[in-house]
Amino acid sequence: ELGFKDTGAMWRSKYDMPADDFAKELDRLWDQVRPLYLSLHAYVRNKLREKYGDIVPANGPIPAHLLGNIWAQDWSNVSKIVAAGNSDRGYDLTQILKSKNVDALGMVRYGESFFTSLGFDPLPKTFWERSLFVRPRDRDVVCHASAWDIDTIDDLRIKMCIDTTEEDFTTIHHELGHNFYQRAYNKQPFLFRDSANDGFHEAIGDTIALSITPEYLVKLGFLPQAPDASKDIGLLLNKALEKIAFLPFGLMIDQWRWKVFSGEITPDKYNEAWWQLRLKYQGVAPPNGRSEKDFDPGAKYHVPANVPYARYFLADILQFQFHRSLAQAAGCPGTGSTPLHRCSIYQSKEAGKKLATMLEMGLNKPWQDALFAITGQRQMDATAIRDYFAPLQKWLDEQNKGKPIGW
Ligand code: ASP
Ligand code: SER
Ligand code: ZN
């Protein structure tokens, strides 16, 4: 009735370009980053093989249950297992947060103060009164984190069951990115009170979280001193296990749903097709035999909740583009002795101004204009993420020498 061929076509139509071009755009970006994913995959497979033996094939897919995350979408929980020699980053943020007795509210306060250090106003009093920060003891709630702007003006809230872990520390910055975006575009006409595209909404808090560098942790009093350059590979490997491992997962969810919506994947093939895409993009395999009696896609929140997912793939690319440009605005060279992963935009009013200008545009302009406002580029561009991880790519190539790549 709305004039779209199917729901997938409707989802793909929201990117200021023909829907088919958007699908091609995703393929193009994936082609740009795939070599780095393949290197990481091969390296991790080898390390897991050293630990677990033949259950991990030398040149086949990695059993998904060995990657430290129930969806195999973020591999940072296996960083200690796969870190070789000098590739441990040398600190454990979860342990630090726990030893400082940082509770749920404290975690959110750290997030807020990053944004205020950039020049944004503090969150309204109602945010603290009306949000849900801890898992209630008396009732079941949807704990999957989300951010809300109830009145589209300034009744901002998050709903999240916060634990004192590094992962949740990152996720809080992610959620607050939504809230600060929501308030920034609240002066737009009602219909434009949204992000430039949904990938932008998902990218803002993650961009900020890229500034949680060792140098920033020193400023918080969390580390006595920042590790020297000998820890760079460890820092980058840790980040890659989160951000590079996620890329093919971020892509395959909607590759599956688009085909379900169009009818190309029929109900009798839902689970089989799911694992085909898991294999194709991620190179992972199920831990045991699956059949159509199982419905594994249903275990991923966004599928039953009907939340589009390509946005998270876009955000994974965009946040590095944003970070590269904001770091520059903050006066961090991003090269030589201060590589991009050591740049934090904390306390930079210049970076904050640049970011705010883009956030305030909301949906009023095509996303290409919004991207231009921060980066001076009109195209999504995976060179930023490749640049960021360039030293790791070199290191992985050495580690993988003579070993099979791919599956
Ligand atoms: N709501 C977020 C995601 O779905 C963060 C999370 O809970 O992982 O975007
Ligand atoms: N928050 C999204 C998820 O949980 C993307 O990381 O999958
Ligand atoms: Zn989000």
Side-chain angles (χ1 to χ4, degrees):
E1 284 174 356
L2 293 171
F4 296 100
K5 217 167 90 239
D6 58 65
T7 301
M10 184 167 80
W11 286 5
R12 292 190 298 276
S13 76
K14 294 175 186 264
Y15 296 94
D16 304 303
M17 56 168 73
D20 290 347
D21 290 4
F22 176 67
K24 285 195 202 107
E25 193 56 4
L26 291 184
D27 292 341
R28 179 183 70 80
L29 292 166
W30 174 232
D31 282 343
Q32 274 188 291
V33 290
R34 212 171 78 97
L36 179 50
Y37 179 72
L38 289 179
S39 302
L40 181 71
H41 178 282
Y43 172 76
V44 167
R45 178 172 59 194
N46 263 313
K47 286 288 151 197
L48 292 176
R49 198 171 146 78
E50 282 170 20
K51 182 171 172 71
Y52 296 114
D54 283 341
I55 176 183
V56 182
N59 52 17
I62 302 174
H65 63 304
L66 302 181
L67 290 162
N69 172 281
I70 196 163
W71 307 279
Q73 70 179 64
D74 173 345
W75 303 352
S76 29
N77 285 323
V78 298
S79 65
K80 286 214 173 74
I81 295 174
V82 304
N86 66 346
S87 67
D88 186 298
R89 72 177 174 178
Y91 65 90
D92 180 336
L93 186 50
T94 297
Q95 279 319 311
I96 295 169
L97 290 163
K98 289 200 160 113
S99 71
K100 301 253 172 207
N101 291 317
V102 181
D103 61 4
L105 235 80
M107 301 256 286
V108 185
R109 288 237 156 77
Y110 279 115
E112 182 195 34
S113 65
F114 199 113
F115 283 89
T116 54
S117 89
L118 300 175
F120 291 91
D121 288 337
L123 292 160
K125 198 164 151 264
T126 49
F127 170 87
W128 301 99
E129 293 161 355
R130 298 172 185 176
S131 290
L132 185 151
F133 298 121
V134 290
R135 182 190 289 272
R137 281 179 299 182
D138 59 345
R139 64 194 187 280
D140 200 19
V141 303
V142 176
C143 269
H144 187 93
S146 53
W148 300 75
D149 59 338
I150 301 290
D151 62 354
T152 78
I153 302 170
D154 59 3
D155 187 352
L156 310 167
R157 311 180 195 182
I158 65 173
K159 176 189 64 58
M160 176 175 170
C161 305
I162 301 170
D163 290 320
T164 301
T165 63
E166 170 167 16
E167 193 178 323
D168 278 8
F169 195 63
T170 309
T171 301
I172 280 159
H173 290 76
H174 174 93
E175 300 306 334
L176 291 182
H178 289 305
N179 288 141
F180 281 91
Y181 208 160
Q182 287 157 350
R183 191 173 50 187
Y185 56 58
N186 70 3
K187 297 202 176 49
Q188 289 291 341
F190 182 78
L191 290 175
F192 295 144
R193 288 180 206 166
D194 204 342
S195 53
N197 71 42
D198 57 1
F200 281 59
H201 230 311
E202 299 306 333
I204 302 309
D206 284 15
T207 302
I208 300 300
L210 288 178
S211 279
I212 306 176
T213 58
E215 288 71 14
Y216 171 64
L217 296 176
V218 170
K219 285 192 182 164
L220 295 188
F222 283 4
L223 284 179
Q225 66 199 34
D228 63 22
S230 71
K231 295 292 184 198
D232 277 355
I233 292 299
L235 285 160
L236 287 172
L237 178 60
N238 203 275
K239 203 62 99 189
L241 291 169
E242 181 191 350
K243 303 290 183 183
I244 302 300
F246 181 76
L247 288 163
F249 182 81
L251 204 55
M252 63 79 50
I253 302 279
D254 281 355
Q255 299 294 327
W256 181 80
R257 271 192 299 193
W258 293 351
K259 289 194 163 84
V260 167
F261 291 146
S262 75
E264 191 183 329
I265 299 175
T266 48
D268 58 317
K269 292 267 157 57
Y270 278 169
N271 217 48
E272 185 188 320
W274 172 263
W275 282 104
Q276 275 167 3
L277 290 166
R278 294 271 267 168
L279 178 65
K280 175 179 171 190
Y281 285 99
Q282 291 184 277
V284 301
N288 60 8
R290 312 307 285 160
S291 77
E292 294 305 319
K293 286 210 169 70
D294 306 302
F295 182 62
D296 296 317
K300 182 63 199 162
Y301 171 81
H302 305 67
V303 173
N306 212 32
V307 180
Y309 210 82
R311 54 178 63 172
Y312 301 107
F313 173 81
L314 296 179
D316 206 344
I317 305 278
L318 282 169
Q319 62 191 260
F320 287 91
Q321 261 180 290
F322 293 158
H323 178 70
R324 182 167 65 181
S325 298
L326 294 176
Q328 214 166 47
C332 187
T335 54
S337 61
T338 318
L340 274 174
H341 70 279
R342 295 288 187 135
C343 288
S344 178
I345 63 169
Y346 184 58
Q347 291 171 327
S348 169
K349 299 290 183 286
E350 291 74 18
K353 228 175 98 192
K354 216 168 195 186
L355 179 59
T357 303
M358 193 277 271
L359 300 186
E360 284 162 16
M361 292 165 70
L363 183 53
N364 201 329
K365 294 272 151 53
W367 64 260
Q368 292 87 345
D369 291 357
L371 183 60
F372 188 81
I374 286 199
T375 65
Q377 296 175 282
R378 300 193 157 273
Q379 264 215 326
M380 290 184 280
D381 172 17
T383 64
I385 191 166
R386 294 293 307 256
D387 287 354
Y388 186 102
F389 288 106
L392 181 72
Q393 175 74 68
K394 207 167 140 245
W395 185 84
L396 288 172
D397 288 345
E398 281 158 25
Q399 308 300 309
N400 289 336
K401 218 169 253 160
K403 307 248 172 62
I405 305 274
W407 49 88

